[in-house]
Amino acid sequence: MFKVKGYAATSSSTPLTPYSFERRDPKEHDVVIDIKYCGICHSDIHNARNEWAGTTYPIVPGHEIAGIVTAVGSKVTKHKVGDRVGVGCLVDSCRTCASCKEDLENFCENGYVGTYGGMERDGSGMTQGGYSNAIVVTEDFVLKIPESISLDKAAPLLCAGITLYSPLMHWKAGPGKKVGILGLGGLGHMGVKIAVALGADVTVLSHSDKKRDDAKLFGAHNFFNTKDPNVFAENAETFDLIINTVSSADLDMGAYFGLLKREGTLVNVGAPDKPLTVPVFPLIMKRRNFAGSLIGGIKETQEMLNFCAKHKITPEIEVIEPSRVNEAYERVLKSDVRYRFVMDMAKL
């Protein structure tokens, strides 16, 4: 074991505080990573505050990790010391179920191991995440960061990037498809950039005009303010695909279903802490689909990184010192960041 330092939540109602803990020494297939940057995801807040229930304390959040390899186990073949690498939401899976064999470790039928708050497969303890200066991960779950993407901007791609890339690819966003991105935040702005690069006709659906200029800057072809009741009537049956990035249970889902073409699909990637109210008649009457999507497997995540490098896609970030993590949490809840916080772990 070796000692590391970081920031942890010790209860659901107290701020994150400095925290020292131990990582395992690298096993033969492990990679040791010096964490340079770690993004802040809304999921971190939900877990730190036990809003999804089941959090075990203390917990070190963080699953948008970018850094440099400092050591490798004796049988590691995929990475070497000095490599620029990333770790996303997964650090292990069973490797044997049908989903894992299809490179869909995110849907592991025996339960994937989350980067934080998960139980190690050998039962040795809970995983702790990237709000720390180092991490040890088995080589199969470590991703290569292309040279053209800076490490600070690579970090949010490991969650926000793949969370939007995966459904856009699965539902075949591209030329001839009309895609709506509901919410222009940390997730939504990545959805716009990726969907535009795929060749889709992209519209941002937002509850205010504050980000209209940003949407156009990111390449969106249209921007609809959903507070205008005429938007839903004038654009009924318009979209092939809508990706809902909003973590709110207060949306009028029936109104958004009405924006879909016959057989269109609305995909939820936002994760509210309360159930959504889902009316069935707007779905039934037009054979529309309501679906969900959860990040991607390791193969697809690497494809996403390579795609973003090829198309020069990076997130909009605000880099902060780790000591400001609690301030950042409050600002995330107020949508007061454009568009993703990234912590400089050298300042830990």
Side-chain angles (χ1 to χ4, degrees):
M1 306 291 282
F2 65 97
K3 290 186 177 181
V4 297
K5 56 187 178 180
Y7 269 79
T10 56
S11 78
S12 62
S13 58
T14 55
L16 276 70
T17 53
Y19 178 66
S20 295
F21 61 106
E22 292 183 327
R23 299 284 193 191
R24 69 176 182 267
D25 287 326
K27 300 176 184 178
E28 57 187 15
H29 288 287
D30 280 343
V31 174
V32 182
I33 302 167
D34 177 15
I35 299 175
K36 299 298 186 182
Y37 296 95
C38 185
I40 293 176
C41 176
H42 206 146
S43 299
D44 299 345
I45 302 174
H46 286 304
N47 279 290
R49 299 181 177 181
N50 199 29
E51 291 171 347
W52 290 340
T55 299
T56 299
Y57 297 98
I59 187 168
V60 178
H63 56 207
E64 297 181 343
I65 299 167
I68 303 293
V69 175
T70 58
V72 297
S74 60
K75 293 187 178 180
V76 170
T77 60
K78 296 182 178 180
H79 309 282
K80 64 183 185 301
V81 172
D83 282 357
R84 306 165 78 252
V85 296
V87 177
C89 303
L90 314 176
V91 292
D92 210 347
S93 70
C94 78
R95 325 284 185 96
T96 60
C97 71
S99 293
C100 286
K101 288 180 177 179
E102 294 177 45
D103 298 314
L104 295 170
E105 300 92 347
N106 51 314
F107 298 125
C108 176
E109 289 145 39
N110 294 303
Y112 67 77
V113 179
T115 305
Y116 63 86
M119 177 57 69
E120 295 280 9
R121 294 208 68 81
D122 61 5
S124 60
M126 302 296 292
T127 56
Q128 302 290 5
Y131 293 10
S132 56
N133 62 323
I135 194 168
V136 182
V137 181
T138 184
E139 65 174 326
D140 292 338
F141 286 77
V142 176
L143 298 138
K144 297 181 182 298
I145 296 176
E147 289 292 334
S148 62
I149 304 178
S150 64
L151 291 180
D152 56 350
K153 293 202 169 187
L157 296 177
L158 279 307
C159 178
I162 186 59
T163 295
L164 273 298
Y165 181 84
S166 187
L168 288 168
M169 294 299 290
H170 182 78
W171 278 277
K172 297 179 172 55
K177 294 290 184 72
K178 290 188 177 294
V179 174
I181 303 294
L182 175 51
L184 190 65
L187 295 176
H189 89 290
M190 291 307 308
V192 172
K193 292 185 177 188
I194 293 169
V196 168
L198 288 169
D201 184 295
V202 181
T203 298
V204 170
L205 303 165
S206 181
H207 68 283
S208 80
D209 284 323
K210 290 189 298 184
K211 298 178 181 178
R212 181 182 292 271
D213 291 342
D214 283 359
K216 293 298 180 70
L217 184 66
F218 301 151
H221 304 94
N222 298 289
F223 182 100
F224 295 159
N225 184 336
T226 56
K227 291 293 186 182
D228 178 357
N230 295 322
V231 160
F232 294 96
E234 293 172 358
N235 297 282
E237 302 185 45
T238 293
F239 294 98
D240 299 283
L241 176 66
I242 296 174
I243 309 288
N244 176 22
T245 71
V246 178
S247 294
S248 170
D250 297 327
L251 295 176
D252 181 351
M253 298 304 295
Y256 289 101
F257 293 152
L259 294 174
L260 293 170
K261 294 178 180 177
R262 187 192 73 238
E263 300 173 21
T265 301
L266 190 152
V267 182
N268 234 72
V269 297
D273 56 3
K274 296 178 182 178
L276 291 169
T277 299
V278 179
V280 298
F281 279 101
L283 299 175
I284 290 171
M285 300 307 291
K286 294 290 181 177
R287 199 158 62 185
R288 295 174 174 128
N289 308 289
F290 181 41
S293 184
L294 174 72
I295 54 170
I298 298 302
K299 180 180 179 181
E300 187 176 46
T301 304
Q302 188 64 60
E303 289 175 358
M304 176 275 303
L305 288 168
N306 297 341
F307 177 89
C308 288
K310 177 181 178 180
H311 293 277
K312 298 180 172 58
I313 295 171
T314 56
E316 307 300 313
I317 63 173
E318 180 178 335
V319 179
I320 62 170
E321 296 186 10
S323 60
R324 295 177 57 198
V325 62
N326 294 299
E327 171 195 341
Y329 273 23
E330 296 308 314
R331 287 180 56 192
V332 168
L333 296 175
K334 296 175 182 176
S335 298
D336 181 25
V337 56
R338 295 198 176 182
Y339 278 84
R340 204 76 167 180
F341 281 117
V342 174
M343 291 186 289
D344 180 352
M345 302 314 293
K347 303 289 179 64
L348 187 65

